[in-house]
Amino acid sequence: MTMSMAVQNPDSIPWWSGNARLTNLSGRLLGAHVAHAGLIVFWAGATTLFELARYQTSQPMSEQGLILLPHLATLGWGVGSGGQIIDTYPYFVIGVLHLISSAFLGLGGIFHSLWGPPTLEEKFSFFGYRWQDANQMTNILGIHLMLLGLGAGLLVAKALYFGGLYDSNLGEVRIIENPTWNFSVIFSYFLGSNKQWIAGVDNLEDLVGGHIWVSIVCIAGGIWHITTEPPQFVKGLFVWSGEAYLSYSLGALSLMSFIAAYFVSVNTLAYPIEFYGAPLSIGFDRFPYFYNGDLLSSRVWLANAHFWLGFFFLQGHLWHALRAAGFDFRTGEVRPTRGEVM
């Protein structure tokens, strides 16, 4: 079948458009993605070590403008009774491991950007793709879902087998021996059984149980997308192009960022007061938009960061969605182009 979609002319794409120049070069685009992952991991490692270098044990963690060390403390690393930090060496190790990992990712990005095949279809047909190939695109979606499921599973493993998590209700790090498996209990949060929606979770059993179900659903969804092909009516619901996929991804990131901003603001189980500060008020009559009096706590920084990232992701989603639909911002017209969906 055929459907309307944007067709880009590579010669019309300026250098500052970044990865848009690599739309039809799958090997080079892979290099850009791997290098981007390396930059993210490098940021995580470098920022962890930076925060560790300025961390003061005599001052509450929430008042020191930290955003990564509180996450590590919540995972139970180096934490004693009452949320007291008794050992910072695990933070150093985690930071260094991220830096080392970023080096390997960076080398992989450089290899695929300079020396690997420009298009994966040349030598590695299994990894090759065309944007209009709906079956291969859903295969890639399935792989990503499985990786997300494995990521959720790693937190479950940490909670059950590798030291446990910090329980703000008890002020102790503990192993979660009986996570909630009950489907109705976990998904009641999504249905609004709590006035704070999913951010109302108040015990680690439900929190870990939720990650168990997220892992199961993501992995099952990934397997389903890999082993099946979209039916024709589904193909007709979407625009199948690189720019359209970017818009879908940015839209999902925007939604998750707004949810995270709310979750960070009001939840004190996943974001304990000991490490992030008191929960926040949410309003638009002053700056910051997520605030607690005049204290710029870690929770304030983190909530506002997620909110503004979500805001700009949303603008990117709308811009790329319009372009994917054929809208030309230079002429203000919709391009009457068509492309075949496989």
Side-chain angles (χ1 to χ4, degrees):
M1 65 177 291
T2 59
M3 63 186 301
S4 298
M5 62 184 300
V7 178
Q8 295 178 332
N9 178 5
D11 296 332
S12 67
I13 304 176
W15 65 267
W16 45 261
S17 294
N19 289 348
R21 297 171 299 153
L22 310 177
T23 300
N24 299 316
L25 299 174
S26 56
R28 298 291 184 255
L29 189 59
L30 173 62
H33 277 69
V34 174
H36 185 212
L39 287 174
I40 294 172
V41 175
F42 178 82
W43 173 87
T47 304
T48 297
L49 296 180
F50 171 76
E51 291 187 358
L52 180 59
R54 63 190 300 270
Y55 173 66
Q56 301 293 326
T57 56
S58 60
Q59 184 181 4
M61 179 177 282
S62 62
E63 299 178 8
Q64 299 186 47
L66 310 174
I67 57 174
L68 295 187
L69 294 192
H71 279 290
L72 298 179
T74 303
L75 291 173
W77 300 109
V79 181
S81 296
Q84 181 180 2
I85 306 301
I86 59 176
D87 185 10
T88 60
Y89 183 69
Y91 306 154
F92 172 77
V93 172
I94 291 170
V96 170
L97 287 176
H98 277 78
L99 290 182
I100 295 173
S101 300
S102 72
F104 284 99
L105 288 169
L107 289 173
I110 292 173
F111 171 80
H112 285 288
S113 298
L114 299 178
W115 300 298
T119 57
L120 298 175
E121 295 80 4
E122 294 177 14
K123 296 183 179 180
F124 307 100
S125 58
F126 176 79
F127 297 101
Y129 57 84
R130 289 181 58 195
W131 299 119
Q132 294 77 27
D133 186 346
N135 188 41
Q136 182 68 345
M137 291 299 105
T138 53
N139 287 342
I140 294 174
L141 171 62
I143 293 171
H144 281 75
L145 284 173
M146 293 186 69
L147 292 174
L148 287 172
L150 290 175
L154 288 176
L155 184 133
V156 174
K158 175 66 172 69
L160 271 60
Y161 307 113
F162 301 105
L165 306 174
Y166 178 75
D167 190 339
S168 59
N169 294 323
L170 301 177
E172 300 285 350
V173 176
R174 67 180 180 93
I175 295 289
I176 313 305
E177 298 179 346
N178 298 298
T180 302
W181 282 88
N182 190 307
F183 180 90
S184 61
V185 171
I186 297 302
F187 282 87
S188 66
Y189 287 101
F190 290 94
L191 299 177
S193 63
N194 189 289
K195 66 178 182 179
Q196 293 179 326
W197 194 46
I198 61 174
V201 60
D202 59 2
N203 64 89
L204 288 181
E205 279 69 23
D206 284 0
L207 186 144
V208 175
H211 280 79
I212 291 175
W213 276 105
V214 167
S215 180
I216 291 173
V217 170
C218 284
I219 292 176
I223 294 173
W224 185 80
H225 279 293
I226 292 172
T227 57
T228 63
E229 181 175 350
Q232 290 299 323
F233 83 91
V234 171
K235 292 180 180 179
L237 296 176
F238 297 95
V239 176
W240 300 86
S241 70
E243 185 132 17
Y245 307 143
L246 176 58
S247 74
Y248 304 150
S249 300
L250 287 171
L253 282 174
S254 177
L255 176 62
M256 295 301 105
S257 294
F258 287 133
I259 293 174
Y262 176 65
F263 204 110
V264 170
S265 299
V266 302
N267 186 272
T268 58
L269 177 73
Y271 299 90
I273 293 174
E274 295 90 330
F275 309 135
Y276 294 92
L280 310 180
S281 300
I282 303 175
F284 294 89
D285 58 341
R286 56 167 289 175
F287 179 84
Y289 295 110
F290 299 85
Y291 63 91
N292 179 27
D294 295 322
L295 176 63
L296 293 178
S297 65
S298 297
R299 195 182 301 271
V300 171
W301 287 112
L302 202 58
N304 279 281
H306 279 92
F307 174 81
W308 285 110
L309 285 171
F311 174 81
F312 287 110
F313 285 148
L314 179 60
Q315 311 317 304
H317 160 70
L318 295 173
W319 193 78
H320 286 288
L322 287 170
R323 280 175 52 89
F327 184 80
D328 191 327
F329 282 90
R330 292 170 295 184
T331 63
E333 299 175 347
V334 177
R335 296 189 296 272
T337 56
R338 302 180 66 84
E340 183 177 358
V341 179
M342 302 169 61

